[in-house]
Amino acid sequence: MLHCIQACGYTGNALALYSLTLEFTSSKLRTRISFGYMCLYPVAAIFVTVLVYCSFWFPLILVLLGKFGITSAYGSIYLLSAELFPTVVRANGLGLASFFARIGSISGPFILQLSSYVKWLPLSIFGLLAVIAGLLLLLLPETKNRDLPQTFEDLDNWKS
């Protein structure tokens, strides 16, 4: 079931990002859509934490909605990070970004162990980190209709 949600997340993200390549879309809309995807998880995590005793289906639907949001956000962030690094260090930058993403994946089970002390703490930590990442995402420059930076000087000129 999670694989179906993941496939839908990547497909939804691809369709959303493709629609943003059209000329009539706003220049900052792509980062806002990625931010919206990132906020799906914290909202779902908060509601799951509060409504865990409600029924079986409602928390399950919220968890799957959160998984959809995180999957979609991961795909769009990966694409955005590839566009932000200058060509001379793009492979190294993507490798470093993937390294830090894997650190987050490795720390996930350890954070999940905190539920034995406080039931709501793991989902709150994951939700808070997703909100912080989404807010930081809004600070990234827009790359639509711009040449990708080739050198660090191009990147400095690109920011201004």
Side-chain angles (χ1 to χ4, degrees):
M1 185 168 192
L2 282 177
H3 295 299
C4 293
I5 295 298
Q6 237 175 329
C8 290
Y10 283 127
T11 304
N13 183 36
L15 291 175
L17 292 178
Y18 172 73
S19 68
L20 295 177
T21 61
L22 303 175
E23 291 300 318
F24 60 86
T25 57
S26 169
S27 63
K28 199 73 170 154
L29 192 60
R30 186 164 60 169
T31 55
R32 290 180 186 153
I33 285 180
S34 299
F35 172 72
Y37 281 142
M38 291 206 64
C39 284
L40 276 178
Y41 175 76
V43 167
I46 289 169
F47 281 120
V48 165
T49 303
V50 173
L51 302 173
V52 71
Y53 302 110
C54 189
S55 72
F56 173 74
W57 292 106
F58 191 63
L60 178 66
I61 290 169
L62 288 174
V63 166
L64 293 177
L65 180 68
K67 176 66 175 168
F68 173 81
I70 290 296
T71 301
S72 300
Y74 185 78
S76 61
I77 289 171
Y78 197 78
L79 177 66
L80 283 171
S81 62
E83 293 177 350
L84 291 175
F85 290 114
T87 301
V88 293
V89 293
R90 188 164 294 140
N92 293 336
L94 282 175
L96 189 65
S98 290
F99 170 74
F100 283 110
R102 295 305 126 218
I103 288 177
S105 297
I106 290 169
S107 65
F110 297 109
I111 294 173
L112 197 57
Q113 290 294 320
L114 294 173
S115 68
S116 61
Y117 301 109
V118 180
K119 205 73 160 152
W120 53 266
L121 190 59
L123 288 177
S124 300
I125 290 173
F126 292 142
L128 180 67
L129 291 175
V131 167
I132 291 170
L135 290 173
L136 290 174
L137 178 69
L138 292 176
L139 298 175
L140 292 177
E142 181 56 46
T143 59
K144 184 180 177 184
N145 296 330
R146 298 178 94 176
D147 293 331
L148 295 180
Q150 303 297 318
T151 62
F152 286 108
E153 292 173 356
D154 290 345
L155 186 62
D156 287 336
N157 295 336
W158 201 45
K159 290 180 185 176
S160 56

